[in-house]
Amino acid sequence: MKDLFGKAMYDFQTNNSPEDIITETSISEEDEMSVAYLFRAYDEMPKIEQKALQLVYGKILDVGCGAGSHSLSLQNDRNLDVLSIDISEKAIETCNLRGVKNAQVQNLLNLEGEKFDTILLLMNGVGIFGKLENCNTFLSKLKSLLNPGGQILLDSSDIIYMFDEDEDGGKWIPSNNDYYGELTFNISYKGEKEETFDWLYLDYNTLQNAAIANGLKCELILEGEHYDYLAKLSI
């Protein structure tokens, strides 16, 4: 991968003429995303993210930390112990420049030897699962990283609203056997295009079923205004 998200974050942090990121998915047209949004403070975050940060306790793993905004809030505002991980080298460089104390280039599935009280997967954190068939692999891994009494806090969206209604008021969904929340994603930055990658959105019922299948309790904490939600998984 060309790490264009990481490059955009690093450019913003170092004032190197940052530009908007252009995103496009298999079911949506090109859209512009301001890199500045990834650098938001707590009071600029959506209510779902604020609620997740309020529920955090103990030793924390921030998965897909990006520019480190959630980690910084927990570290600086609440003096909590946070390990921030991302597969993007430039994202982790950005975190270090911003003062994140423990940021590592790390794939969640390769993380070993540590246990956590709270694991965060925010900004549609389940997106990293890629496809529905990978849920068991990721949920099993997340469960293995939890201390007794620990919790996984994650948000996602039910993107059924993205599909057109038919004349009977029902939703049209692609006729193949793929889950409708499985998307392919493209991003462009400064004229450079990233390789296409898989990204998953999970409706709550599907998440709940997957959690139960992996021996996890699943609780709906908060619903947003745009088909999004915050869930808590625990053993």
Side-chain angles (χ1 to χ4, degrees):
M1 301 288 279
K2 298 177 182 177
D3 195 12
L4 297 185
F5 253 116
K7 287 179 182 177
M9 287 184 262
Y10 189 77
D11 283 350
F12 185 89
Q13 176 64 28
T14 58
N15 296 312
N16 184 30
S17 304
E19 297 179 6
D20 287 346
I21 300 168
I22 309 300
T23 65
E24 184 180 9
T25 77
S26 46
I27 61 167
S28 62
E29 303 293 326
E30 283 190 357
D31 194 16
E32 293 184 359
M33 176 184 179
S34 171
V35 187
Y37 182 69
L38 302 174
F39 290 75
R40 60 201 179 280
Y42 175 85
D43 58 5
E44 299 170 315
M45 294 177 187
K47 290 181 180 178
I48 278 180
E49 292 177 23
Q50 291 181 344
K51 181 65 174 178
L53 296 186
Q54 291 165 17
L55 294 174
V56 161
Y57 55 78
K59 184 179 178 182
I60 301 136
L61 175 65
D62 184 4
V63 179
C65 63
S69 294
H70 302 120
S71 296
L72 281 170
S73 176
L74 295 169
Q75 171 189 297
N76 296 343
D77 300 341
R78 295 180 55 192
N79 199 30
L80 292 170
D81 178 12
V82 188
L83 171 59
S84 313
I85 65 170
D86 204 293
I87 61 171
S88 163
E89 292 186 7
K90 285 295 185 184
I92 296 303
E93 286 185 46
T94 300
C95 287
N96 291 332
L97 288 172
R98 296 186 76 197
V100 176
K101 292 179 181 176
N102 190 5
Q104 300 177 12
V105 180
Q106 179 70 265
N107 186 314
L108 170 67
L109 296 178
N110 298 331
L111 185 61
E112 300 287 348
E114 295 204 58
K115 298 274 189 177
F116 302 90
D117 301 301
T118 301
I119 300 177
L120 287 177
L121 295 97
L122 298 180
M123 288 191 73
N124 188 51
V126 300
I128 64 171
F129 296 6
K131 288 189 174 293
L132 188 63
E133 66 186 19
N134 298 330
C135 281
N136 289 343
T137 299
F138 277 91
L139 290 176
S140 175
K141 181 63 180 182
L142 289 165
K143 181 181 177 182
S144 76
L145 294 171
L146 279 181
N147 278 324
Q151 61 176 351
I152 302 161
L153 298 171
L154 58 84
D155 63 0
S156 192
S157 300
D158 183 354
I159 62 167
I160 191 69
Y161 74 94
M162 298 283 289
F163 297 93
D164 295 328
E165 288 190 3
D166 62 25
E167 55 192 25
D168 297 322
K171 289 288 186 180
W172 175 86
I173 299 175
S175 58
N176 58 30
N177 293 323
D178 292 338
Y179 172 61
Y180 67 83
E182 295 178 343
L183 304 187
T184 53
F185 224 95
N186 290 283
I187 67 167
S188 303
Y189 179 65
K190 290 187 172 180
E192 196 173 359
K193 204 160 193 175
E194 185 73 85
E195 293 91 338
T196 299
F197 57 93
D198 295 325
W199 195 248
L200 181 67
Y201 289 88
L202 273 181
D203 69 277
Y204 177 73
N205 287 338
T206 301
L207 171 67
Q208 186 177 47
N209 290 337
I212 291 170
N214 284 276
L216 289 162
K217 300 172 187 174
C218 186
E219 181 183 353
L220 182 63
I221 300 296
L222 186 64
E223 289 183 281
E225 299 175 357
H226 305 289
Y227 303 89
D228 51 335
Y229 64 87
L230 173 67
K232 179 174 104 171
L233 309 184
S234 56
I235 299 173

